[in-house]
Amino acid sequence: MSIGNSPEDERPFDDVSDVSDVSDVSDDVSEGDRPSVGRALKQARIAAGLTVDDVTTATRVRIAIVHAIEADNFEPCGGDVYARGHIRTLARAVHLDPAPLITQYDAEHGGRPAPTPAAPLFEAERIRPERRGPNWTAAMVAAIVVVIGFVGFTMVNGGDGDKANVADGDATAGASESTTPKSEKPAPEPEPSDSAIAAVPQDKVIVKVSAPDGRSWISAKDHSGRLLFDGLLAQGDSKTFEDSSKIDLVLGDAGAIDLFVNGKKIEDDWQPGAVERLTYTKGDPQAG
């Protein structure tokens, strides 16, 4: 199945015979003749000599979503927030200013919705249930108990050995005047337990998002719903978010993201192009 341009995509524009930049065309046509958001993105892609596969490789946006957006079908995006993020990413890939397209999208779809409290939204749309991680505090206590028990057992056994040596010396005192003192080896020090590691911070949550292999649109909010970041994270860049109780995340392309929560990397099977909505609180990570 071909994922490149169709013959229709390669035909010159109907209204302009020589196009060097799609933004110039929009200046020459009236408001009523302005192409739709999807059509503008498609025309710019063709003018730039790019196929759908080229755009997908550059943006990590799935081929099916690129085709849908160019057909002005934004339902596969999963909502207005993600549609705006995809429009912004695709516009930059085909050398368009995303701001007019976002404004046009809002005008055609009723404008930006009123802010929704963060907690109910993310709790209702959570894709994966939170998994309870190991209780590191309990593990540390157990390790300390094991070490104390081992030291006590060694000391008791050492005391019994000394008593046995004394008894043996008394039994052989008459047979030999000289006896060789028995050297005592110190009890071996216990090796540190793997469980005895530092506990995660208990008074705050720290989330680090990095994009080592690609780029992705991300959004982050604190416990009050205040927007900390909303934009494109370029390849090689990273962002760190800190809050007293909770961080809410939306990853537009989770497959391109490395995620660290309170210093621990979250290992997951996120696929390229997958949209993930996550929440982390004090005492996490609960996953990975």
Side-chain angles (χ1 to χ4, degrees), residues 3-187:
I3 59 176
N5 293 327
S6 66
E8 180 183 356
D9 294 339
E10 303 299 340
R11 291 204 301 267
F13 302 124
D14 296 335
D15 298 332
V16 182
S17 58
D18 183 13
V19 179
S20 61
D21 187 87
V22 174
S23 61
D24 296 336
V25 176
S26 63
D27 295 335
D28 296 335
V29 296
S30 65
E31 186 69 21
D33 295 333
R34 177 187 297 175
S36 65
V37 174
R39 183 62 180 170
L41 289 172
K42 184 176 182 178
Q43 289 175 346
R45 173 177 60 77
I46 296 172
L50 299 174
T51 66
V52 174
D53 189 47
D54 294 334
V55 173
T56 296
T57 301
T59 64
R60 304 291 288 270
V61 178
R62 287 177 289 179
I63 292 174
I65 293 180
V66 175
H67 279 300
I69 290 176
E70 288 188 352
D72 291 304
N73 177 15
F74 299 96
E75 185 175 351
C77 296
D80 289 341
V81 174
Y82 312 112
R84 293 188 190 93
H86 288 320
I87 291 171
R88 186 179 294 107
T89 299
L90 295 179
R92 290 171 178 165
V94 298
H95 314 299
L96 282 181
D97 181 7
L101 295 178
I102 297 298
T103 301
Q104 183 177 350
Y105 174 85
D106 290 338
E108 294 173 354
H109 294 79
R112 285 182 176 270
T116 302
L121 173 63
F122 287 102
E123 291 300 327
E125 295 185 357
R126 182 176 298 279
I127 292 178
R128 291 183 176 85
E130 293 185 354
R131 294 172 288 178
R132 304 299 296 178
N135 189 331
W136 297 114
T137 303
M140 290 180 60
V141 172
I144 294 173
V145 171
V146 170
V147 170
I148 294 175
F150 178 78
V151 173
F153 177 78
T154 303
M155 293 178 62
V156 170
N157 285 349
D160 292 343
D162 292 340
K163 293 178 181 179
N165 291 337
V166 172
D168 292 340
D170 292 341
T172 57
S176 174
E177 294 293 337
S178 64
T179 61
T180 302
K182 185 177 181 180
S183 61
E184 296 182 358
K185 295 182 179 180

Side-chain angles (χ1 to χ4, degrees), residues 202-248:
Q202 298 297 316
D203 59 341
K204 60 184 175 181
V205 55
I206 302 174
V207 176
K208 179 181 178 182
V209 182
S210 62
D213 302 322
R215 56 184 181 175
S216 172
W217 172 85
I218 66 171
S219 173
K221 295 183 179 180
D222 63 13
H223 73 281
S224 65
R226 182 173 61 92
L227 187 64
L228 302 177
F229 182 80
D230 181 8
L232 185 67
L233 189 66
Q235 181 175 356
D237 288 351
S238 63
K239 292 285 184 181
T240 300
F241 309 106
E242 181 176 329
D243 189 67
S244 60
S245 61
K246 183 177 69 171
I247 295 291
D248 292 320

